[in-house]
Amino acid sequence: MNKEKLRHLFLFMILGLIWSGCSKKSVEISDTSSAYLIETKAQIKNDGDTNSVTIEIALLPQQAIRMEISATLGVSVATVVMTPTQISYLLHSNKQFYTGPFHEKTLYPVFKKNIDPTILWRVVHDQVPQSAQLKCEVDADKRPLVCRDSEGTLVKWQYLADHRRRIDITSNRFEMRWLFTHQSVMSNYQNETFVLKKPSDYKEIIIR
């Protein structure tokens, strides 16, 4: 078995251990001292290409997010770790490790479009992503409904039962339909879950 297959096997073993320590009861993200596991699926359209991915999210509220992005048949596409100011990610197909501060071009290598990571951070936290550039409308419960900016970015929410929700993000011939299907408390997790290190055989690229 080659090193790449061993690395993928190790990754899925770690995710399996995380799953085994989680309650399957759907919970509300409210306790900032707890970590959460969030199951999501997304369909991404970009310049005519359509891809469906699974995004498993480990969330330490207001501190860190880890996203494992997998394509069909569980093929690992990317691993992303975000803090309030920094982001690091691995692109597994070309063995590249990116790290640097938040800005609008940070995630271009992942999505091939400039998607503001602040939007993803707040969407995962189930918060209104309003900023100086993004203006939002909320419902009676202060939940976001629609956000838009002057550059054509549009974010829409649909709220379903049991904390399920769908978020549609569109921007410049890019569409992402993101369905959050389940969230549970991670009763047993390691600090290393929210740390991303460069594998020895990956090229490091510093985000400026």
Side-chain angles (χ1 to χ4, degrees):
M1 185 177 291
N2 61 34
K3 290 183 178 179
E4 185 68 11
K5 289 183 179 179
L6 283 172
R7 187 185 60 75
H8 285 164
L9 178 60
F10 178 75
L11 171 63
F12 291 130
M13 287 174 64
I14 292 297
L15 287 174
L17 289 173
I18 292 173
W19 273 107
S20 67
C22 296
S23 166
K24 292 301 290 180
K25 181 180 179 181
S26 185
V27 298
E28 182 178 359
I29 297 172
S30 56
D31 183 359
T32 57
S33 65
S34 297
Y36 298 86
L37 185 67
I38 306 172
E39 302 171 52
T40 79
K41 297 180 179 180
Q43 183 183 76
I44 300 172
K45 297 181 180 180
N46 194 355
D47 291 331
D49 293 331
T50 301
N51 294 284
S52 296
V53 296
T54 297
I55 306 175
E56 293 184 322
I57 303 170
L59 169 64
L60 196 59
Q62 311 307 325
Q63 299 180 58
I65 294 170
R66 183 186 184 107
M67 296 190 287
E68 296 290 350
I69 305 173
S70 302
T72 306
L73 301 178
V75 176
S76 185
V77 176
T79 302
V80 182
V81 170
M82 309 167 69
T83 70
T85 59
Q86 294 286 122
I87 188 167
S88 298
Y89 53 88
L90 300 171
L91 295 183
H92 300 303
S93 61
N94 54 11
K95 294 188 175 182
Q96 292 179 335
F97 172 74
Y98 289 78
T99 185
F102 269 26
H103 60 70
E104 63 179 9
K105 297 181 179 180
T106 296
L107 288 170
Y108 186 89
V110 178
F111 296 111
K112 305 305 179 186
K113 292 292 181 185
N114 292 328
I115 303 299
D116 187 347
T118 303
I119 294 176
L120 301 188
W121 176 271
R122 290 184 175 270
V123 163
V124 171
H125 278 84
D126 202 18
Q127 296 173 340
V128 179
Q130 183 159 305
S131 66
Q133 292 76 34
L134 203 65
K135 304 302 181 184
C136 299
E137 302 172 14
V138 299
D139 65 11
D141 296 319
K142 305 299 182 183
R143 300 180 303 181
L145 293 175
V146 180
C147 296
R148 55 174 57 88
D149 68 14
S150 60
E151 302 298 323
T153 298
L154 181 66
V155 188
K156 292 183 177 180
W157 281 257
Q158 292 182 12
Y159 296 97
L160 310 171
D162 298 324
H163 307 297
R164 296 170 66 241
R165 60 193 186 277
R166 171 180 157 178
I167 297 94
D168 293 343
I169 303 172
T170 59
S171 177
N172 187 24
R173 293 164 60 186
F174 171 90
E175 297 180 19
M176 181 175 179
R177 295 183 176 182
W178 200 358
L179 181 63
F180 286 62
T181 59
H182 190 271
Q183 57 197 39
S184 53
V185 174
M186 295 172 63
S187 58
N188 182 22
Y189 72 94
Q190 304 295 323
N191 290 335
E192 288 78 7
T193 301
F194 300 99
V195 176
L196 193 62
K197 297 181 180 180
K198 184 186 83 67
S200 60
D201 57 341
Y202 277 53
K203 178 182 178 181
E204 183 171 5
I205 299 174
I206 304 299
I207 303 169
R208 304 296 183 184

